[in-house]
Amino acid sequence: MTEHNLGKWHHIFDGHGKTFTINGQQIAMFSIDGELFAFDDVCPHVGASLGSGKLEGKLVTCPAHDWQFDVTNGECISVDRCDDGCYVDTYPVKIENDEIILSLPS
Ligand code: FES
């Protein structure tokens, strides 16, 4: 894993998503009660940005066709539309010295 410093964490507000591009990879990030969650931004359906989706509780709704994902583990809960086992990859993220540190596979 390689750590990436993404800047000040307070630029991500609770309940709102933010997207980052790191070495060409799109990453979505949400804050829930001050805890950060990071996962692939590209929806596995047809590629809309999950980071621009609406967050309710720990579920983000894809803005294109309303599939829902649990931001804490990446699992798709729209089982009626998504094949069993559909998910987005999640990544470790922490706050150090008021800055976001995201770990991605090397
Ligand atoms: S692109 Fe996300 S549900 Fe269709």
Side-chain angles (χ1 to χ4, degrees):
M1 299 288 259
T2 301
E3 290 189 338
H4 301 268
N5 185 326
L6 304 181
K8 298 292 184 189
W9 77 269
H10 56 262
H11 292 164
I12 299 179
F13 301 104
D14 260 10
H16 295 275
K18 191 169 175 70
T19 59
F20 298 89
T21 302
I22 302 151
N23 297 333
Q25 184 175 0
Q26 297 287 115
I27 301 293
M29 197 171 296
F30 281 90
S31 173
I32 301 174
D33 297 330
E35 185 175 359
L36 295 177
F37 299 92
F39 51 94
D40 278 335
D41 182 53
V42 180
C43 179
H45 182 211
V46 287
S49 169
L50 294 174
S52 58
K54 182 178 179 183
L55 185 71
E56 293 174 289
K58 62 179 186 175
L59 299 180
V60 63
T61 301
C62 180
H65 311 102
D66 298 331
W67 286 16
Q68 290 187 303
F69 297 84
D70 183 330
V71 302
T72 67
N73 61 16
E75 182 181 4
C76 180
I77 62 146
S78 300
V79 291
D80 55 328
R81 291 177 269 178
C82 180
D83 290 341
D84 198 25
C86 178
Y87 69 96
V88 289
D89 286 331
T90 59
Y91 304 103
V93 59
K94 61 186 177 184
I95 299 167
E96 278 184 0
N97 300 321
D98 216 25
E99 299 192 321
I100 301 165
I101 307 296
L102 172 70
S103 294
L104 293 177
S106 301

